[in-house]
Amino acid sequence: MVQTLQNFINGEFVPVTGTGSLDIVNPVNGEIVAKAPISSQADVDAAMDAAAAAFTTWKRSTPGQRQAVLLKLADAIEARGTEIVEAQHRNTGQVKQMIADEEVGAGA
């Protein structure tokens, strides 16, 4: 089954207003693994507005609060590491162990 991706704006997945999409192709076997939306200007504007609104809160947070959020993100990356490795492998064809060590592990 080919997954249809959506934009992630303001903490939730949202459908795009644009009508086009791009195929995400597994370079190992040529299989289409997903469809990525081509965002319209309205989609980009919505993402920019959400980011600007989020920044007003983020810029007032303390270093300790920011650290807690980033550590929570690292925990979430580690918890879903296998899923992330699989997705990146399908997307790029890279060796899974390299993705796990150099991208997911280092990113967390």
Side-chain angles (χ1 to χ4, degrees):
M1 180 170 107
V2 175
Q3 180 181 11
T4 299
L5 305 175
Q6 293 181 305
N7 290 339
F8 191 76
I9 300 174
N10 202 25
E12 62 186 23
F13 288 101
V14 296
V16 298
T17 60
T19 58
S21 66
L22 298 171
D23 292 340
I24 305 298
V25 178
N26 181 329
V28 174
N29 59 18
E31 175 185 338
I32 297 172
V33 295
K35 298 263 186 193
I38 298 175
S39 297
S40 69
Q41 186 64 51
D43 298 321
V44 174
D45 290 344
M48 290 295 295
D49 291 345
F55 183 67
T56 61
T57 303
W58 182 255
K59 73 179 178 181
R60 291 188 189 103
S61 63
T62 67
Q65 290 168 323
R66 291 179 186 187
Q67 179 187 31
V69 169
L70 293 173
L71 289 171
K72 186 176 177 181
L73 174 60
D75 289 343
I77 291 170
E78 288 176 347
R80 298 185 72 180
T82 301
E83 182 182 346
I84 295 168
V85 167
E86 289 298 326
Q88 182 68 346
H89 174 70
R90 285 190 310 273
N91 187 42
T92 66
Q94 292 172 279
V95 176
K96 290 179 185 180
Q97 191 61 52
M98 185 179 80
I99 298 167
D101 294 343
E102 297 181 15
E103 295 182 23
V104 176

